Structures are given as structure tokens and as C-alpha cells.
Amino acid sequence: MQFTNTPQRYGVISAALHWLIAVVVYGMFALGLWMVTLSYYDGWYHQAPELHKSIGILLMMGLVIRVIWRFISPPPAALKSYSRLTRLGATLGHITLYALLFSIVVSGYLISTADGEPISVFGWFEIPATLADAGAQADLAGSLHLWFAWAVVVLSLLHGLMALKHHFIDKDDTLNRMLGKSSSDYGVQK
């Protein structure tokens, strides 16, 4: 079990951050879609947004940790079998996913603090409001938040489909490397 990334595969920490953030993002997306269907008299009408905000702040922290970890333990180099277009697409796709994820949490922060109130994170600590212009800020940030969330879901599904394409059609190590394995684990060299 390798904690850091190697030239051949991702380590346990990178893989755990990848999959944990993916699960949290999809959970937050589902929670967000469900929240907007609640009526004022629903018991979750006030609780769901507080839960969404708290998890959103923890997600932001996780994203920052993930980016820092990429500098501490750089990801494995692209496989030699990748074409120039594949390398470019992967790089642009990853940069876009990171940019969208940070845009989602920043826009969520702007929605949540538009009234000038801090965000309480499960009652453990508070994140202060830095910008507050209730109506305009919340409306614009809310629209962006929704579009960024849909964009992340679509792009991450494409990301997953590309990993499956590499695994089942190209039969390369792309998916195995994120699972902490490589073909060399099975006595096969690529």
C-alpha cells in the first residue's frame, strides 16, 4: 500500500481524495436538487440548506487539500500510449473540473453569505461573510451555482466514460492507476 503517488500509479491518499470528493459532489448535487423541491412547511426546509452549506465548506477544504497534495505528491505521468490529443483532452478536462468545483463552492458561499450572516459548519466553527449584497448577489450566485453544478455532473460523467473506454476498449492502465493498481501488478507490462 503506497500512500504517495508513484510514476506508475496513484497512491492511497490521492485515490481516497478523488473518490471521496466524487461521492460528496454527487451527494451535494442530489441534496441541492431535493432542497429546491421542499415547501416552507416541510421539516427539512431549513435543515437541508444548513446541511448543504456545512458539507459545502468541508468540500472546499477537501478541494484545497487535494490541490496541495498534487504539489506534494505529483500524479503519475500520462501513459506513453496516449496520443497528443488524449493528453491535451485529459489536461483540459482536469483543469476544467477543478475550476468548476472551486466555482461551485465559491458561488455557494456567495449565496449563503449574501445576507451578511456567517456560515455555521455543523456548529463547529463559522465562516464569516465577506461580501454581502443580499438580492443581487444571491440571485447571480444562485444561477451560476446551478449551471456550474450541472456542468460538473456532465463533465465528470464524461470523465468516467473516458476512464471506462480506456479500461475496456483501449485496455490500458488509466482506471487501474486510480484504483492503486497497475498492469505490472498482474505481471503484464504496457
Side-chain angles (χ1 to χ4, degrees), residues 56 58 86:
L58 296 179
T86 299

Side-chain angles (χ1 to χ4, degrees), residues 10 22 29 33 68 98-99 111 113 125 146 153 168 170 175 183:
Y10 290 91
F29 184 74
L33 290 178
I68 292 169
Y98 277 107
I111 296 165
T113 59
F125 59 93
L146 176 64
V153 167
F168 292 109
D170 300 340
L175 182 59
S183 59

